[in-house]
Amino acid sequence: MKAPWGIAPCICRNASLSVRTCRGWSGIVNPPSPAAPPLARWSQEGTTVALTLSGVWHRDGPPVKVEGMVPSSPAQRYETSALGEFDSTLPAFLLAHIRSVSHSDTTVKPAWTGLPDNLRGLMELALGVPEKGETKNDPNKTSDLKQLGKMTLKAWEGVRGTTEFVGQAMLSLLRFATGRARFRRSDFWMTVQECGLEALPIVSLISFLIGLILAFVGNVQLTNFGANIFVADLVGIAMVREMGVVMTGIIMSGRTGAAFAAHIGSMKANEEIDALRTFGLNPFDFLVLPRLLALMMMLPILTIYSNIIGIAGGMVVGISVGIPPVLYWNETLLSIDMTTASLGVFKSFFFAAAIAITGCQQGMMAGNSSAAVGEATTRAVVASITALVVIDSLFAAIFTILDI
């Protein structure tokens, strides 16, 4: 028999699909009815708390309507005859109520009478895992005094960890001086190449530009007094005392210190440091010592190189404003004595130790994931640059007291 309106009949596996569009049909018998909104109705029958659940519980659906007074205990019986489809919205609703009641009364045990088997399994699985404290929003804000105490303890742990790491570095250097430190010489020379030769291009560029900037700024001011020849004094003293060593240290912090942290952090994530301990090798001597020695050997050389390039940059500006190269060079030599020239080189040893120790320490303290390695690299750069500024400030105060 031919169906009306040109609709071809089909057989659906589920009778409940009769109101939906069937693929075997060329039309629609009845339009789909709108889904019933989610409803949770609380009721109490004597001492039994009942919860009636109805409607369709979807994340993108209408908000849940709650009727009745919400009890201070979980439901002992559920009525789900009118419950439609549901996703994680319904288990989350039930779990939130049970969690809130459990926090106030730990003796309360939830019951699942009347729940569908699939929903009961989800709830038992969710409650079988303990709730993490940091994932729950605490309505009681932590007091300022407690936060200050936590910050103080965290700062103390950082200071204690750094002090311990510096002590281990000193012991490692002592073992090296007595010939008892064990590390591969090839690693040392490879680190020397990375810290020295491969760093020359960036050090050259930055030092030359710093010399240009100092000369331009000094020339603008000194020309007003007809003393532009003293640009050579300004650039020379500034480079050998401060700018050469500081800029080289900052470059090596971002370049070499970060590389130390990333390399050692990756080894820790891959459990290579644990393998070294298993083989009876001291990870500190094997990983930290060659990097510390290489950077302490190369940073003073890079500092001297940076001073020369910076003075050359200032000379370029001096030539452009009419100062003869010979006159500029002679004025530079007159303004810089051996004591002044050695101040930056002397500070470079301490800068190198700070960069190497900070980078290696952050690598050793990194977690066992790729994200933790990235965080350790960032902390290494920030901590090393901060350490350089603090050390340079201390030396500036000491040199002022000693009138150097």
Side-chain angles (χ1 to χ4, degrees):
M1 179 176 179
K2 187 175 180 181
W5 305 295
I7 298 176
C10 73
I11 299 176
C12 292
R13 295 183 179 180
N14 193 337
S16 64
L17 299 178
S18 60
V19 298
R20 302 180 182 178
T21 302
C22 185
R23 292 187 178 180
W25 292 19
S26 59
I28 302 177
V29 175
N30 295 316
S33 59
L39 174 65
R41 182 182 295 110
W42 293 96
S43 60
Q44 189 164 356
E45 303 171 357
T47 58
T48 302
V49 177
L51 176 61
T52 302
L53 302 172
S54 61
V56 177
W57 295 63
H58 282 169
R59 182 176 61 87
D60 298 328
V64 179
K65 183 179 179 181
V66 180
E67 295 182 355
M69 182 177 295
V70 180
S72 58
S73 61
Q76 283 84 40
R77 185 174 60 82
Y78 295 89
E79 175 60 40
T80 59
S81 58
L83 180 63
E85 297 179 350
F86 62 87
D87 55 13
S88 59
T89 305
L90 179 54
F93 173 81
L94 298 177
L95 185 63
H97 175 70
I98 294 174
R99 293 282 194 194
S100 62
V101 173
S102 300
H103 283 300
S104 59
D105 187 358
T106 57
T107 62
V108 175
K109 301 296 181 183
W112 313 115
T113 305
L115 284 182
D117 293 339
N118 54 354
L119 182 56
R120 183 188 303 114
L122 285 175
M123 297 304 299
E124 291 176 350
L125 181 62
L127 290 175
V129 179
E131 183 182 16
K132 291 185 177 180
E134 62 269 16
T135 61
K136 183 178 182 295
N137 293 328
D138 188 4
N140 299 322
K141 294 183 179 180
T142 306
S143 63
D144 295 338
L145 184 60
K146 188 174 182 180
Q147 291 181 355
L148 178 61
K150 290 182 178 180
M151 293 174 58
T152 304
L153 291 176
K154 187 176 180 180
W156 170 249
E157 289 294 331
V159 172
R160 188 175 67 175
T162 302
T163 304
E164 181 181 355
F165 201 87
V166 171
Q168 292 182 0
M170 297 298 103
L171 293 176
S172 183
L173 289 174
L174 182 61
R175 287 193 295 269
F176 173 75
T178 57
R180 293 183 289 115
R182 298 171 60 189
F183 62 89
R184 293 190 301 184
R185 300 297 186 268
S186 58
D187 291 345
F188 169 75
W189 291 113
M190 184 178 298
T191 308
V192 167
Q193 180 179 350
E194 294 174 355
C195 299
L197 184 62
E198 295 181 5
L200 286 179
I202 184 64
V203 172
S204 302
L205 176 63
I206 299 300
S207 301
F208 186 80
L209 293 178
I210 290 297
L212 287 177
I213 294 170
L214 291 175
F216 274 123
V217 173
N219 180 71
V220 171
Q221 299 300 321
L222 293 174
T223 302
N224 297 329
F225 304 98
N228 58 351
I229 184 59
F230 292 107
V231 169
D233 301 62
L234 186 148
V235 174
I237 295 175
M239 287 301 301
V240 299
R241 286 183 67 102
E242 293 292 339
M243 297 307 298
V245 63
V246 170
M247 295 309 301
T248 304
I250 292 176
I251 293 170
M252 300 306 289
S253 296
R255 183 184 180 279
T256 305
F260 289 173
H263 190 190
I264 297 178
S266 300
M267 294 182 67
K268 184 178 180 182
N270 295 330
E271 299 182 353
E272 297 179 37
I273 297 179
D274 295 334
L276 290 176
R277 293 191 179 97
T278 304
F279 285 121
L281 298 174
N282 188 337
F284 205 95
D285 291 348
F286 200 84
L287 299 175
V288 178
L289 182 59
R291 289 169 170 81
L292 178 61
L293 293 175
L295 196 56
M296 290 185 68
M297 184 176 73
M298 294 309 301
L299 192 59
I301 299 175
L302 288 176
T303 300
I304 297 173
Y305 176 78
S306 174
N307 295 339
I308 296 174
I309 297 299
I311 292 173
M315 183 179 294
V316 171
V317 176
I319 294 173
S320 66
V321 297
I323 302 176
V326 176
L327 183 59
Y328 187 98
W329 181 250
N330 290 334
E331 185 65 27
T332 300
L333 295 179
L334 290 175
S335 62
I336 301 176
D337 55 13
M338 186 58 64
T339 302
T340 304
S342 62
L343 294 180
V345 178
F346 176 75
K347 290 190 291 185
S348 65
F349 289 99
F350 296 89
F351 283 12
I355 296 170
I357 290 175
T358 303
C360 295
Q361 180 189 12
Q362 296 300 328
M364 289 285 193
M365 295 172 56
N368 296 327
S369 64
S370 57
V373 175
E375 294 174 359
T377 303
T378 303
R379 289 196 303 266
V381 176
V382 175
S384 59
I385 293 178
T386 304
L388 296 188
V389 174
V390 172
I391 294 173
D392 190 62
S393 301
L394 293 176
F395 275 115
I398 294 172
F399 293 158
T400 301
I401 294 173
L402 298 178
D403 195 19
I404 299 179

